Amino acid sequence: MTVVVVGAGLSGLVAATRLADAGFDVMVMEARNRVGGRTHGIEVAPERWVDAGAAYLGERHTGLVDLLAELGLKTTPTDMDGASRFLLGGDGDQTRDGRFPPLNAVALGEMFDLLDELTRQVDPAAPWLTPDAERLDRLTAAEWAAEHLTHPDARLFFPLFLGEMMAAAPADVSMLHVAFYLRSGGGISYLNAFAGGAQESRVAGGAHQICEQLAADLVARQPGSVRLGEPVVAIEDTGAGVLVRTSYETSSIATGSYDAAAVIIAVPPPLADRIEITPRPAPRATAATGRGSAVKLHLVYPEPLWRDAGLSGWSVNAGGPLLSTVDDSPAEGGAGVLTGFVTGREARAYGALSYDEQRAAAVDQASRVFPELPAPLDFHLTDWVNQDYSRGCYAALFGPGDWLALGPTLATPAGPSGRIHWAGTETSLEFFGLMEGAIRSGQRAADEVTEQHH
Ligand SMILES: Cc1cc2nc3c(=O)[nH]c(=O)nc-3n(C[C@H](O)[C@H](O)[C@H](O)COP(=O)(O)OP(=O)(O)OC[C@H]3O[C@@H](n4cnc5c(N)ncnc54)[C@H](O)[C@@H]3O)c2cc1C
């Protein structure tokens, strides 16, 4: 019995592997010419890789930790030794130990308390049933901040925090989504922390290896089971099965046609809505659903030179493009890499510049944040906002009204015979938006299919 999986990101490949383990034949259709989706590696020096997409994980990401162990992949701790640099204006321009910004601690503490309180109110199993869900889902995070954050330091820091956590501009997300996201990721303290938190380590050699290995294993077991450069354009639930149509990248004409017992659609919700599904299921996105906005930059040095100056490479900046930087140098040596994050509104403005302007702006800012560093040897830029088969990251952003409209059917099988299943990190109520959410969603979708067809 054949199952088609749409998308060779983490969720799709985890689902396909689990189905293959359960005895199904699988066909994974991937639009891009590579696997991995929102995980992607860049070789910054010979055999030295950095993550252009997802990078960080923590010990509560148990699905990911287990998967890494199965694949024989190791992790490396995120290097945070040394002082942080802050360029937040006025007294906020400082070099100091730790990650707490040189802003009014009481104002920031109150902001985090308010956020914590909201986070605890969320119904983690059904966010749309949260007490006061309707009001919270209508309210944007910008409106919430205008109402609740009176101190200028809290108003300054809130968008930086949302940018770092969710790659979101406050005007683009509902407050219910913010509270849900923080809850689903294990709470603010866990999500935001390096040591002991969600950013504790990285996959040594790059997270892209996970999907590459999963795909290679699948192809070894079932030759031809992962098809690249073949986007799915239409799916029909015939009652007795599903008919999946694909097109090749260079053509807009449907050129492939596959019969299967079931299909798992493992792509971000706004992309799922671009597939012509018959009969039409409940919408996966609305006009308010946004793109997480992040451009990831890598500034490459001969070695992590900032460590010589007692710095961690971590910085937080009120002005862009680099709103934050972190040391992502390969643990084996051979290069020093500062990763810069351009998020939220900054990412969209930055994406509109020419490559030369983008490079000049990033290098110029790095020289202001870290005047002790020479010019970088190399520069890499990955703009996820404008990639056709991601349309943003870290995850889709649920705008005003989205949780109430979309939440109840996000993971519910569709079609007259329930043969259309949904995966992808945005369908996971646990660790939504993260690699862990993608893995859990793939496992859940595969189990649904197995239960239905065995
Ligand atoms: C810059 C960045 C930083 C991040 N940081 C972290 C982090 O530190 N830690 C963390 O845990 N997570 C992080 N994430 C999020 C993480 O990458 C995602 O949650 C996860 O990879 C999503 O996996 P997925 O399978 O749900 O979706 P995707 O990876 O998006 O996979 C979907 C796949 O479907 C394909 N596709 C789309 N449309 C079609 C179609 N019509 N037909 C066929 N194929 C199609 C796409 O090309 C893609 O390969 C980050 C993401 C980015 C981009």
Side-chain angles (χ1 to χ4, degrees):
M1 195 175 290
T2 302
V3 179
V4 167
V5 176
V6 186
L10 259 181
S11 61
L13 287 169
V14 164
T17 302
R18 203 164 168 104
L19 287 169
D21 291 345
F24 289 91
D25 292 330
V26 292
M27 293 284 276
V28 184
M29 303 297 172
E30 169 53 50
R32 287 178 164 106
N33 284 315
R34 63 167 180 83
V35 300
R38 284 172 271 178
T39 61
H40 183 45
I42 293 181
E43 195 174 17
V44 289
E47 291 178 41
R48 298 293 183 268
W49 293 79
V50 293
D51 292 298
Y56 310 106
L57 67 135
E59 63 182 18
R60 291 194 205 166
H61 302 172
T62 50
L64 180 52
V65 169
D66 290 350
L67 181 57
L68 293 175
E70 276 166 38
L71 297 175
L73 293 170
K74 303 258 179 295
T75 59
T76 181
T78 315
D79 206 313
M80 290 295 285
D81 288 345
S84 308
R85 192 146 274 168
F86 298 93
L87 258 70
L88 299 169
D91 291 346
D93 289 354
Q94 285 185 25
T95 302
R96 51 147 73 181
D97 289 337
R99 287 182 57 221
F100 200 84
L103 297 172
N104 187 299
V106 174
L108 262 53
E110 282 172 1
M111 178 186 90
F112 284 122
D113 285 350
L114 281 171
L115 284 171
D116 250 340
E117 212 175 285
L118 265 185
T119 301
R120 277 197 300 272
Q121 278 174 31
V122 173
D123 182 337
W128 53 95
L129 298 180
T130 296
D132 211 14
E134 215 165 302
R135 188 185 65 82
L136 286 173
D137 205 25
R138 262 201 321 267
L139 195 69
T140 66
E143 289 163 344
W144 178 87
E147 198 179 316
H148 290 90
L149 306 180
T150 48
H151 196 286
D153 284 5
R155 290 187 169 197
L156 170 76
F157 197 67
F158 183 64
L160 294 175
F161 173 73
L162 276 197
E164 198 190 328
M165 289 291 98
M166 304 174 70
D172 296 342
V173 272
S174 91
M175 204 52 204
L176 181 59
H177 187 54
V178 172
F180 160 74
Y181 189 93
L182 298 173
R183 171 78 186 240
S184 139
I188 296 174
S189 311
Y190 180 75
L191 251 185
N192 197 21
F194 283 84
Q199 300 171 73
E200 180 153 46
S201 51
R202 293 177 277 139
V203 180
H208 62 285
Q209 298 170 98
I210 308 171
C211 285
E212 286 179 0
Q213 284 202 24
L214 287 173
D217 288 352
L218 261 181
V219 171
R221 289 158 71 184
Q222 299 188 13
S225 57
V226 179
R227 300 179 64 98
L228 301 181
E230 198 173 343
V232 169
V233 292
I235 296 170
E236 188 184 344
D237 183 334
T238 61
V242 289
L243 183 62
V244 177
R245 291 210 172 82
T246 62
S247 120
Y248 291 105
E249 264 202 338
T250 47
S251 138
S252 57
I253 307 157
T255 45
S257 180
Y258 304 88
D259 283 309
V263 60
I264 295 177
I265 303 179
V267 308
L271 293 181
D273 263 357
R274 282 163 61 192
I275 301 171
E276 194 187 317
I277 302 174
T278 315
R280 198 79 202 149
R284 314 284 302 156
T286 72
T289 314
R291 303 176 185 203
S293 300
V295 178
K296 208 166 172 183
L297 307 177
H298 294 102
L299 298 151
V300 186
Y301 300 86
E303 53 188 294
L305 301 168
W306 47 93
R307 293 182 194 166
D308 299 342
L311 297 169
S312 64
W314 170 259
S315 75
V316 180
N317 309 297
L322 302 170
L323 297 177
S324 62
T325 59
V326 63
D327 181 346
D328 271 345
S329 305
E332 319 81 29
V337 180
L338 270 187
T339 297
F341 289 90
V342 194
T343 55
R345 287 270 147 86
E346 286 287 346
R348 293 208 283 272
Y350 190 68
L353 301 177
S354 71
Y355 178 80
D356 287 347
E357 290 169 330
Q358 288 173 324
R359 183 187 170 110
V363 171
D364 175 60
Q365 194 182 1
S367 72
R368 279 181 284 115
V369 179
F370 298 106
E372 46 281 275
L373 296 185
L377 298 175
D378 207 354
F379 173 79
H380 300 272
L381 179 151
T382 316
D383 179 351
W384 292 91
V385 191
N386 296 310
Q387 292 199 11
D388 224 22
Y389 288 109
S390 289
R391 295 203 164 187
C393 79
Y394 320 127
L397 296 178
F398 284 19
D402 273 354
W403 266 109
L404 264 70
L406 307 171
T409 51
L410 262 184
T412 312
S417 50
R419 291 171 189 272
I420 300 173
H421 301 261
W422 309 103
T425 192
E426 287 92 347
T427 68
S428 178
L429 293 172
E430 294 162 336
F431 301 99
F432 177 109
L434 299 182
M435 291 185 276
E436 180 66 17
I439 290 168
R440 293 190 188 196
S441 77
Q443 294 169 338
R444 186 232 343 114
D447 290 348
E448 268 170 27
V449 171
T450 307
E451 208 169 291
Q452 195 176 52
H453 293 282
H454 270 183

